[in-house]
């Protein structure tokens, strides 16, 4: 499916009024009444209507802008099991809310086609937060997350029916899970559908519900999952674990689990893309004369050579000592930024040595402080 903004022909910063006007133009252009026997126009009309239903709602639009189509899960209905992403099964069910067709839930459509059996809807997607140390995010890890979510009922094997019984076809909707009605709209005649009130859109009725899950086919329990964190993951990333979300009612497929990554700060290093950066402070004598330092990286100790005459703010680069690329090909660098420390107080001997040094280089310096305050300072050195 195309981008919703492209479908309506508006920019991502379009106002509500601009979106509304654009929808009216596109709806008239692609309406089935204006394009008889043209399935492509009917499909485009459905896409345009779907795009408008999302972008006219501030919260749905915010989710779409931030997460794309996946972010729309959970923005409609009753929020199933407290999941903010539950759309009853994804974008297909968002179509169902307006156009009908295969899958669970109610909808509306063009023509008088009957749906097949509704079947159990998939479970909701779930979200959780995983906090990692800086090193775990850089090198990858396997970390556990625990949460409470609906899981398949063991007593009835997720059927929802008590032992010795089974679900029967709903007599009110003939197993379709929906009641369809014809209505007139500004765009012409449309066939609308809504979930069957007797079976709740399932298409089947349980006369003797399971005593453990009360006919749901699932119950809420605590679960712990091990999350394989790839090397190089960054703070704010989201990992998707397919099939680890909530179990669907009466044997419906499981939703997905979205794990939001939070990374703790490091005491020395900061991350910039796939590079690591540290501000290293050295005395001006080492900067002037050079030095070899035992330097600790995330991979272990290394010899860091600081050349003689190193200036303040100079950067030294350790190739391949940064963050691994997520595609597994190569690593970033470790960048050491030098901060030259100039002493703020000197002993008498140090002062004399520096003055001799300045004299050798013919460099003008301030005369010694012979004031009373200077003598007091010298006495306490």
């Amino acid at each position: 499916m195309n981008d919703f903004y492209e479908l309506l022909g508006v920019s991502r910063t379009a106002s509500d009024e601009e979106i509304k006007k654009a929808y009216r133009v596109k709806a008239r252009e692609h309406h089935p009444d204006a394009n008889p026997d043209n399935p492509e126009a009917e499909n485009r009309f459905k896409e345009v209507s779907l795009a408008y239903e999302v972008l006219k709602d501030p919260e749905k639009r915010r989710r779409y802008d931030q997460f794309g189509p996946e972010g729309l899960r959970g923005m409609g209905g009753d929020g199933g099991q407290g999941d903010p992403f539950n759309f009853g099964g994804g974008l297909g069910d968002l179509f169902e809310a307006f156009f009908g067709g295969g899958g669970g839930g109610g909808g509306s459509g063009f023509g008088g086609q009957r749906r097949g059996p509704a079947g159990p809807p998939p479970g909701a997607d779930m979200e959780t937060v995983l906090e990692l140390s800086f090193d775990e995010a850089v090198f990858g890890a396997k970390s556990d997350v625990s949460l409470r979510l609906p899981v398949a009922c063991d007593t009835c094997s997720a059927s929802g029916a008590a032992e010795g019984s089974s679900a029967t076809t709903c007599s009110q909707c003939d197993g379709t899970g929906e009641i369809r009605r014809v209505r007139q709209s500004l765009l012409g005649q449309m066939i609308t559908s809504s979930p069957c009130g007797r079976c709740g859109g399932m298409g089947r009725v349980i006369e003797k519900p399971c005593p453990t899950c009360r006919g749901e086919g699932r119950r809420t329990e605590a679960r712990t999952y091990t999350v394989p964190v790839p090397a190089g993951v960054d703070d704010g990333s989201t990992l998707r674990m397919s099939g680890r979300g909530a179990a669907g009612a009466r044997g419906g497929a499981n939703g997905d689990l979205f794990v939001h990554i939070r990374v703790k700060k490091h005491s020395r290093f900061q991350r910039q893309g796939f590079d690591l950066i540290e501000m290293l402070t050295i005395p001006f004598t080492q900067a002037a004369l050079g030095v070899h330092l035992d330097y600790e990286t995330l991979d272990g100790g290394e010899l860091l050579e600081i050349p003689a005459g190193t200036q303040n703010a100079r950067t030294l680069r350790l190739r391949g000592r940064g963050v691994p690329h997520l595609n597994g090909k190569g690593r970033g660098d470790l960048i050491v930024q030098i901060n030259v420390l100039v002493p703020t107080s000197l002993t008498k001997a140090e002062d004399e040595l520096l003055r001799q040094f300045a004299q050798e280089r013919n460099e003008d310096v301030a005369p010694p402080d012979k004031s009373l305050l200077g003598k007091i300072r010298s006495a306490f050195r």
Side-chain angles (χ1 to χ4, degrees):
M1 180 180 294
N2 294 328
D3 178 77
F4 286 170
Y5 292 97
E6 292 180 1
L7 283 169
L8 296 179
V10 298
S11 69
R12 304 189 78 85
T13 58
S15 65
D16 293 343
E17 187 61 29
E18 289 173 331
I19 290 173
K20 186 176 182 180
K21 289 180 179 179
Y23 166 67
R24 287 176 176 172
V25 172
K26 294 291 184 180
R28 291 192 190 100
E29 178 183 353
H30 299 294
H31 192 276
D33 289 348
N35 300 273
D37 302 322
N38 187 346
E40 184 177 345
E42 180 178 327
N43 290 334
R44 181 51 61 96
F45 176 74
K46 293 179 182 181
E47 292 180 350
V48 166
S49 297
L50 168 58
Y52 177 61
E53 288 300 328
V54 171
L55 299 184
K56 76 175 183 178
D57 184 292
E59 181 59 19
K60 291 179 184 177
R61 183 177 180 180
R62 183 187 70 80
R63 281 282 189 174
Y64 178 77
D65 289 345
Q66 187 172 3
F67 300 109
E70 285 296 335
L72 298 177
R73 298 185 179 219
M75 300 308 297
D78 58 4
Q81 303 300 318
D83 170 36
F85 284 105
N86 177 31
F87 230 143
L91 287 180
D93 289 322
L94 181 55
F95 271 118
E96 284 297 305
F98 304 98
F99 310 113
S108 62
F110 304 94
Q113 302 157 310
R114 295 289 295 174
R115 295 182 359 162
D125 292 334
M126 304 295 289
E127 291 181 290
T128 190
V129 175
L130 175 61
E131 189 173 63
L132 300 173
S133 69
F134 194 87
D135 288 39
E136 287 175 327
V138 170
F139 295 114
K142 289 186 177 180
S143 299
D144 292 341
V145 293
S146 298
L147 67 161
R148 292 182 63 82
L149 75 170
V151 299
C153 177
D154 295 331
T155 304
C156 63
S157 300
S159 69
E163 185 177 359
S165 67
S166 60
T168 58
T169 301
C170 176
S171 59
Q172 186 167 333
C173 65
D174 294 329
T176 65
E178 66 177 16
I179 304 299
R180 301 168 73 88
R181 300 178 180 86
V182 178
R183 67 182 178 88
Q184 291 294 133
S185 71
L186 294 174
L187 300 175
Q189 188 182 73
M190 298 184 69
I191 299 176
T192 62
S193 62
S194 59
C196 174
R198 184 167 186 267
C199 65
M202 290 284 192
R204 297 176 67 81
V205 177
I206 294 178
E207 302 294 348
K208 294 182 179 180
C210 169
T212 302
C213 64
R214 300 180 181 179
E216 273 284 302
R218 59 184 179 176
R219 56 185 179 182
T220 300
E221 292 183 2
R223 283 286 188 270
T224 298
Y225 297 122
T226 299
V227 181
V229 179
V233 72
D234 202 357
D235 184 72
S237 301
T238 297
L239 305 178
R240 178 178 181 174
M241 299 183 68
S242 298
R244 294 297 189 180
R250 302 184 194 174
N254 283 36
D256 298 332
L257 175 60
F258 291 86
V259 182
H260 303 297
I261 301 299
R262 299 290 179 267
V263 181
K264 297 178 182 178
K265 293 185 180 299
H266 196 273
S267 58
R268 292 170 49 207
F269 301 115
Q270 290 185 342
R271 179 170 174 173
Q272 190 174 87
F274 291 102
D275 292 334
L276 295 177
I277 299 176
E278 182 187 20
M279 180 76 73
L280 179 64
T281 300
I282 61 173
F284 79 100
T285 50
Q286 291 181 342
L289 302 175
V291 66
H292 290 178
L293 298 177
D294 290 328
Y295 184 74
E296 194 69 23
T297 72
L298 291 181
D299 297 274
E302 288 197 19
L303 190 64
L304 179 64
E305 181 180 352
I306 298 178
T310 293
Q311 300 298 305
N312 187 58
R314 178 176 178 176
T315 60
L316 305 176
R317 186 179 294 266
L318 299 179
R319 301 285 182 182
R321 289 294 180 265
V323 180
H325 295 161
L326 286 172
N327 59 13
K329 297 180 180 179
R331 294 175 60 174
D333 300 331
L334 172 54
I335 300 171
V336 182
Q337 295 181 341
I338 301 299
N339 177 43
V340 178
L341 180 64
V342 177
T344 57
S345 61
L346 297 171
T347 65
K348 183 177 180 180
E350 292 170 341
D351 184 275
E352 291 174 352
L353 286 172
L354 282 179
R355 292 185 182 280
Q356 292 176 17
F357 177 76
Q359 187 176 0
E360 288 288 331
R361 295 176 61 85
N362 292 320
E363 295 174 349
D364 291 333
V365 295
D369 188 356
K370 298 184 179 296
S371 65
L372 177 61
L373 181 59
K375 292 179 180 179
I376 295 175
R377 287 174 178 165
S378 299
F380 284 95
R381 287 175 181 170

